PDB file of all heavy atoms in Angstrom:
ATOM      1  N   VAL A  62      -6.415  -0.952  16.247  1.00 96.00           N
ATOM      2  CA  VAL A  62      -7.395  -0.156  16.985  1.00 96.00           C
ATOM      3  C   VAL A  62      -8.131   0.957  16.318  1.00 96.00           C
ATOM      4  O   VAL A  62      -9.187   1.394  16.562  1.00 96.00           O
ATOM      5  CB  VAL A  62      -6.907   0.384  18.323  1.00 96.00           C
ATOM      6  CG1 VAL A  62      -6.594  -0.746  19.312  1.00 96.00           C
ATOM      7  CG2 VAL A  62      -5.631   1.185  18.189  1.00 96.00           C
ATOM      8  N   LEU A  63      -7.492   1.359  15.131  1.00 96.00           N
ATOM      9  CA  LEU A  63      -7.928   2.591  14.308  1.00 96.00           C
ATOM     10  C   LEU A  63      -9.291   2.088  13.642  1.00 96.00           C
ATOM     11  O   LEU A  63     -10.120   2.838  13.405  1.00 96.00           O
ATOM     12  CB  LEU A  63      -6.975   2.997  13.313  1.00 96.00           C
ATOM     13  CG  LEU A  63      -5.751   3.834  13.934  1.00 96.00           C
ATOM     14  CD1 LEU A  63      -4.771   4.110  12.814  1.00 96.00           C
ATOM     15  CD2 LEU A  63      -6.336   5.126  14.506  1.00 96.00           C
ATOM     16  N   ALA A  65     -12.548  -0.384  12.859  1.00 93.00           N
ATOM     17  CA  ALA A  65     -13.624  -1.245  13.595  1.00 93.00           C
ATOM     18  C   ALA A  65     -13.678  -2.610  13.149  1.00 93.00           C
ATOM     19  O   ALA A  65     -14.764  -2.874  12.640  1.00 93.00           O
ATOM     20  CB  ALA A  65     -14.914  -0.403  13.554  1.00 93.00           C
ATOM     21  N   LYS A  75     -12.720   3.376  22.193  1.00 97.00           N
ATOM     22  CA  LYS A  75     -13.191   4.282  23.180  1.00 97.00           C
ATOM     23  C   LYS A  75     -12.351   4.536  24.413  1.00 97.00           C
ATOM     24  O   LYS A  75     -12.102   5.662  24.960  1.00 97.00           O
ATOM     25  CB  LYS A  75     -14.632   3.606  23.709  1.00 97.00           C
ATOM     26  CG  LYS A  75     -15.724   3.854  22.725  1.00 97.00           C
ATOM     27  CD  LYS A  75     -17.016   3.420  23.398  1.00 97.00           C
ATOM     28  CE  LYS A  75     -18.152   3.607  22.453  1.00 97.00           C
ATOM     29  NZ  LYS A  75     -18.233   2.630  21.355  1.00 97.00           N
ATOM     30  N   LYS A  78      -9.278   6.657  23.655  1.00 97.00           N
ATOM     31  CA  LYS A  78      -9.774   8.146  23.574  1.00 97.00           C
ATOM     32  C   LYS A  78      -9.746   8.694  24.937  1.00 97.00           C
ATOM     33  O   LYS A  78      -9.300   9.684  25.329  1.00 97.00           O
ATOM     34  CB  LYS A  78     -11.065   8.171  22.834  1.00 97.00           C
ATOM     35  CG  LYS A  78     -11.449   9.598  22.400  1.00 97.00           C
ATOM     36  CD  LYS A  78     -10.781   9.952  21.181  1.00 97.00           C
ATOM     37  CE  LYS A  78     -11.155  11.279  20.618  1.00 97.00           C
ATOM     38  NZ  LYS A  78     -10.706  11.849  19.452  1.00 97.00           N
ATOM     39  N   ARG A  95       3.336   1.290   4.996  1.00 84.00           N
ATOM     40  CA  ARG A  95       4.208   1.215   3.928  1.00 84.00           C
ATOM     41  C   ARG A  95       5.011   2.606   3.959  1.00 84.00           C
ATOM     42  O   ARG A  95       4.596   3.604   4.366  1.00 84.00           O
ATOM     43  CB  ARG A  95       3.370   1.303   2.629  1.00 84.00           C
ATOM     44  CG  ARG A  95       2.630  -0.004   2.404  1.00 84.00           C
ATOM     45  CD  ARG A  95       1.785   0.168   1.297  1.00 84.00           C
ATOM     46  NE  ARG A  95       0.697   1.132   1.412  1.00 84.00           N
ATOM     47  CZ  ARG A  95      -0.347   1.446   0.526  1.00 84.00           C
ATOM     48  NH1 ARG A  95      -0.298   0.658  -0.592  1.00 84.00           N
ATOM     49  NH2 ARG A  95      -1.240   2.233   0.806  1.00 84.00           N
ATOM     50  N   TYR A  98       6.864   7.731   0.076  1.00 71.00           N
ATOM     51  CA  TYR A  98       7.803   8.539  -0.809  1.00 71.00           C
ATOM     52  C   TYR A  98       7.133   9.734  -1.412  1.00 71.00           C
ATOM     53  O   TYR A  98       6.005   9.521  -1.991  1.00 71.00           O
ATOM     54  CB  TYR A  98       8.393   7.628  -1.823  1.00 71.00           C
ATOM     55  CG  TYR A  98       9.318   8.193  -2.723  1.00 71.00           C
ATOM     56  CD1 TYR A  98      10.680   8.271  -2.308  1.00 71.00           C
ATOM     57  CD2 TYR A  98       9.045   8.714  -3.941  1.00 71.00           C
ATOM     58  CE1 TYR A  98      11.644   8.837  -3.241  1.00 71.00           C
ATOM     59  CE2 TYR A  98       9.880   9.301  -4.825  1.00 71.00           C
ATOM     60  CZ  TYR A  98      11.239   9.464  -4.411  1.00 71.00           C
ATOM     61  OH  TYR A  98      12.074   9.999  -5.354  1.00 71.00           O
TER      62      TYR A  98
ATOM     63  N   PHE B   6     -11.962  -2.185   7.276  1.00 76.00           N
ATOM     64  CA  PHE B   6     -11.263  -0.888   7.088  1.00 76.00           C
ATOM     65  C   PHE B   6     -12.041   0.384   7.434  1.00 76.00           C
ATOM     66  O   PHE B   6     -11.610   1.399   7.343  1.00 76.00           O
ATOM     67  CB  PHE B   6     -10.660  -0.700   5.669  1.00 76.00           C
ATOM     68  CG  PHE B   6      -9.650  -1.771   5.370  1.00 76.00           C
ATOM     69  CD1 PHE B   6      -9.945  -2.808   4.470  1.00 76.00           C
ATOM     70  CD2 PHE B   6      -8.466  -1.829   5.966  1.00 76.00           C
ATOM     71  CE1 PHE B   6      -9.054  -3.781   4.057  1.00 76.00           C
ATOM     72  CE2 PHE B   6      -7.472  -2.803   5.719  1.00 76.00           C
ATOM     73  CZ  PHE B   6      -7.814  -3.701   4.869  1.00 76.00           C
ATOM     74  N   GLN B   7     -13.212   0.126   8.154  1.00 89.00           N
ATOM     75  CA  GLN B   7     -13.990   1.242   8.583  1.00 89.00           C
ATOM     76  C   GLN B   7     -13.362   1.856   9.791  1.00 89.00           C
ATOM     77  O   GLN B   7     -12.968   1.218  10.813  1.00 89.00           O
ATOM     78  CB  GLN B   7     -15.366   0.893   8.788  1.00 89.00           C
ATOM     79  CG  GLN B   7     -16.174   0.821   7.520  1.00 89.00           C
ATOM     80  CD  GLN B   7     -17.690   0.517   7.671  1.00 89.00           C
ATOM     81  OE1 GLN B   7     -18.034   0.045   8.717  1.00 89.00           O
ATOM     82  NE2 GLN B   7     -18.417   0.869   6.736  1.00 89.00           N
ATOM     83  N   ASN B   9     -12.779   3.653  13.304  1.00 95.00           N
ATOM     84  CA  ASN B   9     -13.544   3.725  14.589  1.00 95.00           C
ATOM     85  C   ASN B   9     -13.863   5.229  14.613  1.00 95.00           C
ATOM     86  O   ASN B   9     -13.104   6.087  14.465  1.00 95.00           O
ATOM     87  CB  ASN B   9     -12.652   3.251  15.704  1.00 95.00           C
ATOM     88  CG  ASN B   9     -12.881   1.817  16.051  1.00 95.00           C
ATOM     89  OD1 ASN B   9     -13.965   1.432  16.147  1.00 95.00           O
ATOM     90  ND2 ASN B   9     -11.794   1.140  16.398  1.00 95.00           N
ATOM     91  N   GLU B  11     -14.226   7.098  16.996  1.00 95.00           N
ATOM     92  CA  GLU B  11     -13.382   7.843  18.043  1.00 95.00           C
ATOM     93  C   GLU B  11     -12.151   8.408  17.371  1.00 95.00           C
ATOM     94  O   GLU B  11     -11.625   9.414  17.819  1.00 95.00           O
ATOM     95  CB  GLU B  11     -12.938   7.038  19.210  1.00 95.00           C
ATOM     96  CG  GLU B  11     -14.007   6.580  20.203  1.00 95.00           C
ATOM     97  CD  GLU B  11     -15.001   5.399  19.573  1.00 95.00           C
ATOM     98  OE1 GLU B  11     -14.615   4.872  18.529  1.00 95.00           O
ATOM     99  OE2 GLU B  11     -16.015   5.327  20.300  1.00 95.00           O
ATOM    100  N   ASP B  14     -11.373  12.175  14.064  1.00 95.00           N
ATOM    101  CA  ASP B  14     -10.989  13.460  14.104  1.00 95.00           C
ATOM    102  C   ASP B  14      -9.368  13.437  14.009  1.00 95.00           C
ATOM    103  O   ASP B  14      -8.740  14.524  13.668  1.00 95.00           O
ATOM    104  CB  ASP B  14     -11.397  14.131  15.402  1.00 95.00           C
ATOM    105  CG  ASP B  14     -10.923  13.435  16.581  1.00 95.00           C
ATOM    106  OD1 ASP B  14     -10.655  12.196  16.587  1.00 95.00           O
ATOM    107  OD2 ASP B  14     -10.790  14.032  17.796  1.00 95.00           O
ATOM    108  N   HIS B  89       1.129   4.815  -2.506  1.00 85.00           N
ATOM    109  CA  HIS B  89       0.130   5.962  -2.339  1.00 85.00           C
ATOM    110  C   HIS B  89      -1.315   5.350  -2.859  1.00 85.00           C
ATOM    111  O   HIS B  89      -2.112   6.306  -2.983  1.00 85.00           O
ATOM    112  CB  HIS B  89       0.589   7.027  -3.315  1.00 85.00           C
ATOM    113  CG  HIS B  89       1.867   7.634  -2.856  1.00 85.00           C
ATOM    114  ND1 HIS B  89       2.001   8.504  -1.754  1.00 85.00           N
ATOM    115  CD2 HIS B  89       3.141   7.493  -3.429  1.00 85.00           C
ATOM    116  CE1 HIS B  89       3.292   8.765  -1.766  1.00 85.00           C
ATOM    117  NE2 HIS B  89       3.981   8.268  -2.700  1.00 85.00           N
ATOM    118  N   ILE B  90      -1.481   4.206  -2.971  1.00 88.00           N
ATOM    119  CA  ILE B  90      -2.720   3.683  -3.511  1.00 88.00           C
ATOM    120  C   ILE B  90      -3.434   2.989  -2.418  1.00 88.00           C
ATOM    121  O   ILE B  90      -2.879   2.185  -1.666  1.00 88.00           O
ATOM    122  CB  ILE B  90      -2.685   2.989  -4.823  1.00 88.00           C
ATOM    123  CG1 ILE B  90      -2.008   1.665  -4.683  1.00 88.00           C
ATOM    124  CG2 ILE B  90      -1.991   3.695  -5.970  1.00 88.00           C
ATOM    125  CD1 ILE B  90      -2.227   0.743  -6.007  1.00 88.00           C
TER     126      ILE B  90
END
Side-chain angles (χ1 to χ4, degrees):
Chain A
V62 291
L63 285 173
K75 283 194 179 69
K78 195 82 177 179
R95 295 174 295 184
Y98 179 86
Chain B
F6 294 111
Q7 280 185 342
N9 267 318
E11 286 77 14
D14 58 336
H89 303 281
I90 68 169

